[in-house]
Amino acid sequence: MELFRPINSYYDFENIKMVPEGDLITRNLSDMDWMYQDQEAVQELLKEDPQIYRYYNVDIPEEEGHLQHCISIINPGKVGNEYNMTKGHFHEIKGTAEIYYTIQGEGMLFMQSVTDGEPEFEALEMKKGTLSYVPPYWAHRTINTGEEPLAFIGIYPGEAGHVYGEIEAKGFMKLLIEKDGEPTIIDNPNYK
Ligand code: PAN
Ligand code: ZN
């Protein structure tokens, strides 16, 4: 058999990036403009099309036995009163979990169950040092509620895979908005 060699990756706190970069994926507002509620704010911001988040994937075989891992960075900011967030997904193999470890910034981890029953919702706070567990059968999205980048490490089974289409079409059942200066969870009026 061919041996996969051990490797290190580093988080560069000063330049807010992973070194080496690995497979870097960037998401600008135009990649997810329909996911935000305030479409007037979206149109205004699209003139500049800001980067919302990026994630650096260590190049690991997508196979059982391996552990995929990556560092995600969500830039601070809002679209209207809704905080910058990831698209969100669930794993193609729904019964695979994930660990998030927050290394910088603050935010929230939204989760929504993806079993055959009625979807359930959970939210966890994220701040430097938080170790969050996303159990099997929970879609997940992260949101930056702070003034600085929110950076976290994600670790999940090699074979997990990602499904985006459903959340792209339906959204999450809750939104996180700033209300009276505070992050506030509200029902998503457009949830299908
Ligand atoms: C994370 C996410 C990353 C970007 O590594 O992939 O934060 O979010 P989206 O994938 O929703 O765009 C993870 O949960 N991987 O499984
Ligand atoms: Zn995931």
Side-chain angles (χ1 to χ4, degrees), residues 25 27 53-55 57 69-74 86-89 91 97-98 100 134 140-142 152-156 160-162 164:
I25 296 179
R27 298 281 183 233
Y53 66 101
R54 61 188 179 279
Y55 54 113
N57 291 294
H69 52 289
C70 62
I71 296 182
S72 304
I73 294 152
I74 308 176
T86 58
K87 291 176 94 169
H89 63 266
H91 294 162
E98 183 153 357
Y100 279 175
V134 180
H140 36 287
R141 162 180 283 169
T142 42
F152 59 93
I153 301 167
I155 307 169
Y156 55 100
H162 295 88
Y164 289 95

Side-chain angles (χ1 to χ4, degrees), residues 114-125:
V114 285
T115 59
D116 293 337
E118 279 295 299
E120 295 185 42
F121 178 82
E122 289 277 349
L124 292 173
E125 279 183 20

Side-chain angles (χ1 to χ4, degrees), residues 8 15 20 24 52 75 83 90 92 113 141 144 147 167 178 190:
N8 266 344
N15 296 303
L24 170 60
I52 305 290
N75 293 317
Y83 296 96
F90 53 84
E92 202 173 328
S113 63
R141 162 180 283 169
N144 185 347
E147 311 270 297
I167 288 165
E178 186 186 68
N190 302 319

